[in-house]
Amino acid sequence: MMKTDTLDQIAYALYLAERDVYEVTKFVERYPELTVETAYDIQDKLIELKCKHEQTSISGLKLGLTSKAKQQMMGVHEPTYGVLLANMAVNAQHPISLKSLIHPKIEPEIAFVFKEDLVGPVVTVAHVLIATAYVAPAMEIIDSRYLNFHFTLPDVIADNSSSSRYIVGSQKYAVNEVDLVNMGCIFTQNDEMIATSTAGSVMGHPARAIAWMANKLIARGQHIRAGDIVLSGALTGSATMHAGDSFTVSFDGMESLSVQVE
Ligand code: OOG
């Protein structure tokens, strides 16, 4: 068992690394006893710190490492989840500044917005779809606080699954308007295609990733709330962001979503 003080210290170290824009080394090296469960305790503490000091609130949740492409890229073979805060939302109308970010990457995702609470432990794909108000194309900017983006599963969970910013398209689609298994996705950087994928690359169906999370959350007394935005996990590997870049994600049957980096 790790001491509460140690968990508080790790959460504070991650909070400071993000606030003051620097990298830290993996905590698993110093604390080999760090488990997935304890890592979620640290994540909860980090979110409390951020809500208090940044005067923001929870806007939803995100899945991480739900596709083979992402798992292979990061060398981690289990999904994770993290919390989205209102101040992480970015408006695609304005260029994104990289000034307060460490080494940001961007990836295409499908956002689900909920009209009903979704409470585990026996949530299925069908339950997720019934509770969904709409889906929309999205992109997530991830920014690990760890040196060179290197982490183990507990490390990345403690670091709120590398959450940094998110962008959700303004067009809303009913879940039966789009094919959430076979819908194709094209990801471009500066008008050059860098990856393609299909919605089903996220655990066979992105709603399956959300069901997985809902069933995990209940063990911690948590659940998806009506109004929450949930990012269901990257469909492709992520792309490093540089000043002047533009990124576009186009899903079959949905309006494409683009962002410009300042
Ligand atoms: C972990 C978070 C990955 C996703 O959608 O796969 C993630 C990372 O790669 O840093 O958000």
Side-chain angles (χ1 to χ4, degrees), residues 62-66 70 74 80 107 109 140 142 144 149 151 156 161-162 233-234:
K62 60 152 280 182
L63 274 299
L65 306 168
T66 48
K70 279 291 313 201
M74 304 319 293
T80 65
E107 45 196 29
E109 306 224 3
E140 186 183 11
I142 53 168
S144 175
F149 245 101
F151 47 68
V156 68
S161 294
S162 309

Side-chain angles (χ1 to χ4, degrees), residues 96-136:
I96 296 173
S97 164
L98 301 183
K99 228 176 32 215
S100 56
L101 307 180
I102 305 168
H103 38 208
K105 298 183 190 182
I106 188 161
E107 45 196 29
E109 306 224 3
I110 300 167
F112 286 63
V113 178
F114 284 85
K115 60 182 177 201
E116 288 167 22
D117 288 2
L118 194 60
V119 187
V122 286
V123 171
T124 63
V125 168
H127 295 135
V128 173
L129 297 178
I130 289 167
T132 300
Y134 63 90
V135 294

Side-chain angles (χ1 to χ4, degrees), residues 62-67 69-71 73-74 76 79-80 82 105 107-109 140-146 149-151 156-157 159-163 202 231-238:
K62 60 152 280 182
L63 274 299
L65 306 168
T66 48
S67 63
K70 279 291 313 201
Q71 292 187 352
M73 183 174 185
M74 304 319 293
V76 171
T80 65
K105 298 183 190 182
E107 45 196 29
E109 306 224 3
E140 186 183 11
I141 297 173
I142 53 168
D143 193 20
S144 175
R145 268 53 68 173
Y146 296 112
F149 245 101
H150 286 162
F151 47 68
V156 68
I157 291 168
D159 187 28
N160 197 23
S161 294
S162 309
S163 301
V202 173
L231 297 183
S232 52
L235 292 93
T236 71
S238 48

Side-chain angles (χ1 to χ4, degrees), residues 44-62:
D44 286 348
K45 290 174 182 289
L46 174 62
I47 296 304
E48 252 176 63
L49 280 171
K50 284 173 65 74
C51 284
K52 183 168 142 213
H53 293 289
E54 298 170 11
Q55 293 182 344
T56 190
S57 56
I58 295 175
S59 56
L61 292 148
K62 60 152 280 182

